[in-house]
Amino acid sequence: MTPEQEVARKKRAVRAAQRMLTAELGLVYGAKRVREALFHLGSDVPKRFPAFDSFLDAIPLATPLGELRLLCQEALLLSSDRILAAVEAEYRQSLLRECLSVINVYESSGKQNVLAAED
């Protein structure tokens, strides 16, 4: 990868993490975007930020996501949404913390995030 490609890929990862933090992206789509951006920085990079994979792996395979949700019957959509909401609630804090980590590690200006995480 060229230096220019590396910078662009880091910016993509940071932007996806920022969009998750600002709630412009939902947790599922945002986690997919961040994970993909990190993978393009090197196949070992996502291992440094395991919450994204853990969260996506915790979503049952039968859970309709994306446009598939538009085609679901109401009963299936509502029952699967309860399951998805529970998984999102379980992983929300770890995902947002890892978003902050991605931003702090890859933001080009190198400035640290001033918000302190509460435990």
Side-chain angles (χ1 to χ4, degrees):
M1 141 177 40
T2 67
E4 293 82 10
Q5 288 173 321
E6 183 177 0
V7 168
R9 291 173 183 181
K10 286 178 181 178
K11 284 182 181 180
R12 189 174 337 162
V14 166
R15 183 66 183 136
Q18 289 171 332
R19 291 181 70 201
M20 275 187 74
L21 284 175
T22 62
E24 290 177 58
L25 296 178
L27 292 183
V28 175
Y29 185 66
K32 287 180 180 183
R33 294 283 306 261
V34 174
R35 180 179 66 175
E36 179 183 330
L38 292 173
F39 178 78
H40 287 292
L41 285 168
S43 59
D44 62 320
V45 173
K47 294 174 188 169
R48 293 179 54 199
F49 306 98
F52 301 107
D53 281 334
S54 295
F55 167 64
L56 293 170
D57 291 344
I59 299 170
L61 292 176
T63 304
L65 300 171
E67 291 182 10
L68 183 58
R69 292 174 60 86
L70 298 173
L71 304 174
C72 289
Q73 293 180 348
E74 182 179 350
L76 173 61
L77 183 62
L78 294 176
S79 67
S80 65
D81 202 54
R82 278 192 298 274
I83 295 167
L84 182 58
V87 174
E88 286 181 339
E90 180 182 344
Y91 284 89
R92 180 176 300 279
Q93 283 191 339
S94 61
L95 288 169
L96 297 181
R97 282 189 179 119
E98 286 210 353
C99 285
L100 290 170
S101 294
V102 167
I103 293 166
N104 287 331
V105 169
Y106 293 116
E107 194 167 44
S108 61
S109 64
K111 61 185 172 189
Q112 292 294 313
N113 191 304
V114 296
L115 296 177
E118 293 182 19
D119 290 319

